[in-house]
Amino acid sequence: MRRRLAEYEFTIPESVLEDPFLAYRWYDLMRDARDLYVKSVQEGVPKEDARFILPQAVRTKIVVTMNLRELKHFLGLRACERAQWEIREVAWKMLEEIAKNEELRPIIKWAKLGPRCIQLGYCPEGELMPPGCWKRTRERWKGLLSAVRED
């Protein structure tokens, strides 16, 4: 079921997919919202007005431009385990994409790109963090660095 639902243009969180009945209800609701959106546009409703019917789970493609300082700030906040899972996934994917580029890879270590605990050397969230977070985060970050060649 997960594969079938994942093919659509909206996202259903993993926690919902664990319950097949609930997942299909989510799917039905989102499909109906999408169909009403399409019908509204066909009937002449401006797209910017018709979008009000769409759920937040509609997949969106974005393009961002950031200088290194803003990238470091974004990753510091959004690669943290306290960030919402969806934006955290985007932040780590951005780090992975940087690591794939041989010319950019060394910047990860040099600028300490990653969550604030990596940047600062300690977790500023303290007791708010889930158990084991610091260890998991360091291991994941070091995994990115394993691709970085020392000159």
Side-chain angles (χ1 to χ4, degrees):
M1 178 174 112
R2 288 178 190 215
R3 172 176 248 162
R4 180 173 171 247
L5 291 175
E7 295 171 4
Y8 294 95
E9 64 271 7
F10 41 80
T11 300
I12 299 178
E14 288 293 322
S15 59
V16 174
L17 291 174
E18 291 173 7
D19 180 341
F21 177 74
L22 188 59
Y24 277 111
R25 290 195 62 202
W26 274 56
Y27 164 76
D28 289 343
L29 177 66
M30 289 185 219
R31 182 203 57 220
D32 293 346
R34 180 199 56 224
D35 292 349
L36 182 56
Y37 166 80
V38 170
K39 179 70 172 162
S40 297
V41 170
Q42 289 172 345
E43 295 295 322
V45 175
K47 286 182 179 181
E48 60 271 17
D49 292 342
R51 278 188 213 121
F52 280 88
I53 193 66
L54 295 175
Q56 289 186 34
V58 173
R59 289 193 182 151
T60 305
K61 294 183 182 198
I62 61 171
V63 175
V64 296
T65 303
M66 296 181 197
N67 61 28
L68 183 58
R69 180 178 23 191
E70 185 54 36
L71 179 63
K72 186 173 181 171
H73 175 74
F74 171 80
L75 294 172
L77 297 174
R78 303 304 177 210
C80 175
E81 280 199 23
R82 286 206 9 113
Q84 193 264 349
W85 68 267
E86 193 173 24
I87 195 70
R88 185 175 61 244
E89 188 176 302
V90 169
W92 280 98
K93 185 67 174 170
M94 289 170 68
L95 273 169
E96 290 167 7
E97 290 300 315
I98 294 167
K100 287 179 186 178
N101 184 307
E102 193 171 326
E103 292 179 10
L104 296 178
R105 241 183 279 144
I107 294 172
I108 296 171
K109 185 175 183 179
W110 174 79
K112 294 185 179 177
L113 293 180
R116 288 191 312 157
C117 60
I118 296 298
Q119 296 172 10
L120 300 171
Y122 67 92
C123 177
E125 299 292 335
E127 295 178 8
L128 298 174
M129 293 309 298
C133 170
W134 174 234
K135 182 180 179 187
R136 284 189 304 275
T137 301
R138 276 190 321 222
E139 288 173 3
R140 186 171 186 184
W141 191 74
K142 285 178 181 178
L144 288 173
L145 291 179
S146 67
V148 177
R149 290 185 217 159
E150 297 293 329
D151 294 322

